[in-house]
Amino acid sequence: MNADPRPKTSPRAAGPEGEARKQRSDGAHARVHLLHTALRLFSEKGFAKTSIRDIAQAACANVAAISYYFGDKAGLYRAVFTEPLGSARDDIALYNQPHFTLHQSLEGFFSGFLEPLRQGELVQLSTRLHFREMLEPTGLWAEEIDKGIKPAHAALVKVLCRHLGITKADDEVHRLAFSITGLAIHMFISREVVDAIRPQLFNTPDAVDHWAASLVAYAEAMVAVEVARRKHLPDHTAGTPRQKNASHDKN
């Protein structure tokens, strides 16, 4: 059989358009490399103590490249802070759907929340950076709370209200929402501890899926406890037992 006489790269791909695609690919790679280098340095030293020159030198790039892709140091830091983990509001559609069962909503919530864990070391650096941002705030953490975390929390509360059969959230619903979220947050905070104690829980390709499935079951149990608790309240709309006792004491 004769070999295919056609060239492996078509003339079109080798022409201006093909060259443009190559340049875009190289540019994307250069941007990602700068982003990851900056993430490592910012997570180690913080925003104030990390210079653009430090990042350029560590990335074997020039300062002009950073200006080209990110504008300035603040723009680079914003990209480093937001891109690897994304924003909590980005996942709302995965779980806040009126036709979803509780199980489906929790599956969507945890699958979206835990997805960054598949990035390995990158997500660990991002977690460290977020903690450093809390200690040495630049304003991005407050912005994420306001524009990302608050809407995501409100969406989860709405899901819980729907499945608890109530129209208005009380403090117990908010506690439940924070507790469910805490299950997922703990996966990020305790990653290094888990690796030290039981590394196989994270070092297999489907490890994140196993975690997500387990957290769904745990969260379902938490919701079931809250459902049972409310069944024993004489009046669901009268508030929590503590609120009722406070009201009784005033009288």
Side-chain angles (χ1 to χ4, degrees):
M1 180 180 296
N2 293 332
D4 189 342
R6 292 174 297 178
K8 295 184 182 296
T9 303
S10 68
R12 181 174 182 177
E17 292 184 13
E19 183 63 27
R21 282 195 294 272
K22 182 177 182 301
Q23 290 176 357
R24 285 195 296 270
S25 176
D26 291 345
H29 177 76
R31 184 184 185 280
V32 169
H33 180 60
L34 284 168
L35 192 75
H36 291 182
T37 302
L39 172 58
R40 178 173 57 80
L41 293 179
F42 281 136
S43 68
E44 291 174 356
K45 301 164 60 176
F47 177 79
K49 295 181 180 179
T50 304
S51 70
I52 287 293
R53 190 170 298 278
D54 291 337
I55 296 169
Q57 183 176 1
C60 297
N62 56 54
V63 174
I66 295 176
S67 299
Y68 176 77
Y69 291 115
F70 303 101
D72 55 14
K73 180 180 172 180
L76 175 57
Y77 184 77
R78 176 178 288 275
V80 164
F81 186 82
T82 60
E83 291 185 19
L85 295 181
S87 175
R89 70 177 179 275
D90 297 337
D91 295 331
I92 290 176
L94 296 176
Y95 56 91
N96 187 18
Q97 298 292 341
H99 60 283
F100 276 7
T101 64
L102 176 63
H103 187 84
Q104 288 173 322
S105 289
L106 292 174
E107 278 186 330
F109 177 78
F110 286 116
S111 65
F113 209 121
L114 300 186
E115 181 61 29
L117 288 174
R118 300 181 190 278
Q119 301 179 54
E121 183 188 14
L122 190 65
V123 75
Q124 291 173 268
L125 292 174
S126 294
T127 302
R128 291 174 194 164
L129 180 65
H130 276 65
F131 276 113
R132 184 174 286 279
E133 170 66 20
M134 294 179 200
L135 296 173
E136 304 169 6
T138 67
L140 289 185
W141 178 237
E143 181 179 318
E144 173 57 19
I145 290 176
D146 188 52
K147 297 182 179 179
I149 295 174
K150 282 184 178 179
H153 176 79
L156 181 57
V157 166
K158 186 176 181 179
V159 168
L160 294 174
C161 285
R162 186 159 57 243
H163 292 287
L164 290 171
I166 59 178
T167 57
K168 185 177 180 181
D170 55 26
D171 286 348
E172 294 303 320
V173 178
H174 284 280
R175 288 191 183 97
L176 179 59
F178 282 124
S179 297
I180 289 173
T181 303
L183 294 174
I185 292 175
H186 189 63
M187 297 298 96
F188 294 83
I189 296 173
S190 65
R191 175 62 186 269
E192 293 182 6
V193 175
V194 174
D195 285 342
I197 297 174
R198 197 76 172 174
Q200 62 266 39
L201 295 181
F202 270 122
N203 66 5
T204 60
D206 60 347
V208 175
D209 293 333
H210 281 297
W211 273 114
S214 295
L215 295 190
V216 169
Y218 303 155
E220 284 181 310
M222 293 164 68
V223 175
V225 169
E226 180 61 17
V227 170
R229 188 190 72 82
R230 287 175 180 273
K231 285 182 179 179
H232 291 87
L233 293 177
D235 183 355
H236 294 182
T237 63
T240 65
R242 181 178 297 177
Q243 290 170 328
K244 292 177 186 177
N245 291 338
S247 176
H248 178 74
D249 292 341
K250 289 179 181 179
N251 295 330

